[in-house]
Amino acid sequence: MESKKKIILTGDRPTGKLHIGHYAGSLKRRVELQNSGEYDEINILIADDQALTDNWDNPAKIRENMIEVALDYLSVGIDPDKATICVQSGIPALHALTFYYMNLVTTARLSRNPTVKSEMQQKGFDSEGLPAGFFTYPVSQTADITAFNATTVPAGEDQEPMIEQAREIVRKFNSTYGDVLVEPEILLPKEKAQLRLPGTDGSAKMSKSLGNCIYLSDDKKSVHDKVMKMYTDPEHINIADPGHIEGNTVFTYLDAFSCEDQFKEYLPEYSCLEEMKEHYKKGGLGDVKCKKFLIKVLEDFLSPIRERRAEWQKKIPEVYDILSSGTRHAADETDETLSKVREAMKIDYFKDDSIISEWNSFINK
């Protein structure tokens, strides 16, 4: 089914404050898309239900971080007048659609999902101890996407298997019941450095659970301390030693956040990042100097975010109202999709009394 509107759905799990990896991978693009005027609707889902699949025994953690995530959204420039910020658990249609879609995918197919397998390993789940909700969260994610009739899902490359699984479920539903659901497309970050920002320890991914994050809400000292401990090139022992750029987190972060104007202001001996990289590779450029430059780059980026966050923290009742009104709006919108799904499946028994005449026709044959 083709949607006449261009609709975005994206979101995050409220398991902690958001970090600069979230910004590089998705938040920056969300703000750009929100302000582009290209899309008819932008929906940002705080996925608390999904977060409960591996935090089922600690719902307080989710509750505590709900406002934190909302503050992060507002501080980076998400505008509630242009985007709907809503909470997953307050949208009943998502739960019903998840249940219906469960019948359209096999456990074998879910077990082959690379994203699920990767996260199982990261969280230490084995096949015996895996919560069913966690195992089936690609189905829940499909319900989220299709409920909003989303045409576009901005996400990192690690989410490509999830979107492909959603597309498969959509095709299965439409071929079985008729063209009702919209098949979504993933929208990857434009810049390669933004596909996946590594952790400060050099791990493949910045992760709240691994404690290798620089948070959007970190103060100046925290950022300084984290950058100074950051993983670089273990073979670059002396300043004169040739250095390696590949796998060096300092340069990966500079790829994502630095600009030429910052070289003019803070490091004028280089005209651009490429010149700095060449010097590092030849030898003669120390890691401390690189890290001090990165600290200034990150401060330019984080300082205005901190200021906006501080202002929003003075208006928590207003933040609460943004979440509440956004969730009510989303519930109304997604109820329409649920109604169409039930009609296509012929389980809308009480929409009218046609089932009575159908029954009479059946018994009179």
Side-chain angles (χ1 to χ4, degrees):
M1 176 182 174
E2 293 291 330
S3 174
K4 295 180 181 178
K5 291 184 175 181
K6 296 180 70 175
I7 300 171
I8 282 178
L9 179 75
T10 185
D12 301 280
R13 291 157 41 104
T15 53
K17 296 178 180 180
L18 302 183
H19 50 66
I20 63 173
H22 291 114
Y23 183 86
S26 61
L27 294 176
K28 179 182 179 182
R29 194 73 183 279
R30 291 179 201 175
V31 175
E32 292 171 349
L33 295 169
Q34 162 196 278
N35 296 332
S36 70
E38 184 182 348
Y39 290 87
D40 299 286
E41 293 178 22
I42 295 181
N43 302 286
I44 303 177
L45 186 68
I46 300 181
D48 60 325
D49 282 340
Q50 191 179 112
L52 285 168
T53 62
D54 57 328
N55 292 276
W56 56 270
D57 57 345
N58 190 13
K61 175 183 177 181
I62 312 304
R63 185 179 182 89
E64 290 164 6
N65 284 297
M66 189 72 64
I67 296 296
E68 294 282 10
V69 171
L71 286 170
D72 285 330
Y73 286 161
L74 296 167
S75 67
V76 299
I78 297 296
D79 185 345
D81 291 329
K82 297 179 180 179
T84 298
I85 306 174
C86 50
V87 178
Q88 191 177 37
S89 62
I91 308 173
L94 305 184
H95 310 130
L97 291 173
T98 298
F99 185 82
Y100 299 148
Y101 296 167
M102 290 283 191
N103 298 316
L104 304 179
V105 61
T106 66
T107 56
R109 175 62 182 91
L110 288 171
S111 68
R112 294 196 301 271
N113 188 305
T115 305
V116 174
K117 290 199 293 188
S118 173
E119 294 192 11
M120 281 176 60
Q121 292 174 351
Q122 181 180 317
K123 298 177 189 300
F125 288 137
D126 57 31
S127 58
E128 295 298 320
L130 182 65
F134 184 87
F135 182 63
T136 58
Y137 87 77
V139 184
S140 170
Q141 187 164 296
T142 301
D144 300 338
I145 295 167
T146 58
F148 287 90
N149 295 310
T151 57
T152 308
V153 181
E157 61 181 359
D158 60 320
Q159 290 297 307
E160 286 188 278
M162 302 293 284
I163 305 306
E164 181 53 36
Q165 183 128 55
R167 290 164 60 84
E168 289 175 14
I169 293 173
V170 167
R171 289 194 288 265
K172 180 71 171 179
F173 184 96
N174 287 346
S175 65
T176 304
Y177 302 112
D179 287 339
V180 173
L181 303 178
V182 177
E183 196 169 322
E185 298 286 347
I186 191 169
L187 182 64
L188 292 168
K190 292 183 289 187
E191 299 172 28
K192 184 178 180 181
Q194 296 175 333
L195 290 177
R196 184 181 295 187
L197 204 62
T200 55
D201 58 355
S203 298
K205 186 177 181 181
M206 189 175 286
S207 167
K208 290 171 280 191
S209 61
L210 295 176
N212 59 1
C213 306
I214 295 175
Y215 292 99
L216 293 167
S217 54
D218 274 346
D219 60 29
K220 191 171 184 177
K221 183 179 184 305
S222 296
V223 173
H224 175 278
D225 292 347
K226 290 179 180 181
V227 172
M228 293 307 293
K229 295 176 183 177
M230 189 176 286
Y231 179 86
T232 55
D233 174 11
E235 297 179 20
H236 189 240
I237 299 170
N238 301 306
I239 291 177
D241 294 337
H244 297 86
I245 302 300
E246 189 78 24
N248 189 321
T249 55
V250 170
F251 284 99
T252 304
Y253 284 32
L254 288 173
D255 276 328
F257 293 102
S258 69
C259 64
E260 288 189 10
D261 286 345
Q262 289 168 321
F263 282 92
K264 293 177 185 177
E265 185 173 357
Y266 304 126
L267 212 59
E269 57 262 50
Y270 305 108
S271 65
C272 63
L273 182 56
E274 289 308 311
E275 279 191 15
M276 183 182 179
K277 287 180 179 180
E278 287 304 315
H279 189 182
Y280 187 83
K281 287 189 286 186
K282 290 177 182 176
L285 175 58
D287 289 317
V288 171
K289 186 171 184 176
C290 297
K291 288 179 177 181
K292 287 182 176 179
F293 176 59
L294 175 59
I295 289 168
K296 291 177 180 178
V297 167
L298 290 179
E299 276 305 305
D300 281 353
F301 159 61
L302 289 171
S303 180
I305 292 175
R306 285 195 207 102
E307 291 175 9
R308 286 192 293 267
R309 197 177 215 276
E311 289 302 310
W312 278 108
Q313 282 181 316
K314 299 174 186 175
K315 302 182 288 185
I316 295 301
E318 187 175 335
V319 176
Y320 174 84
D321 287 342
I322 288 169
L323 294 178
S324 179
S325 61
T327 302
R328 288 196 302 271
H329 173 77
D332 291 341
E333 183 177 345
T334 55
D335 277 348
E336 294 180 16
T337 303
L338 177 60
S339 178
K340 292 176 182 177
V341 163
R342 285 176 169 161
E343 182 179 1
M345 296 176 69
K346 301 189 183 303
I347 57 174
D348 57 336
Y349 310 116
F350 307 112
K351 183 178 181 180
D352 53 44
D353 61 1
S354 60
I355 193 171
I356 297 174
S357 58
E358 291 169 8
W359 168 254
N360 287 332
S361 297
F362 172 76
I363 62 173
N364 289 327
K365 282 184 180 179

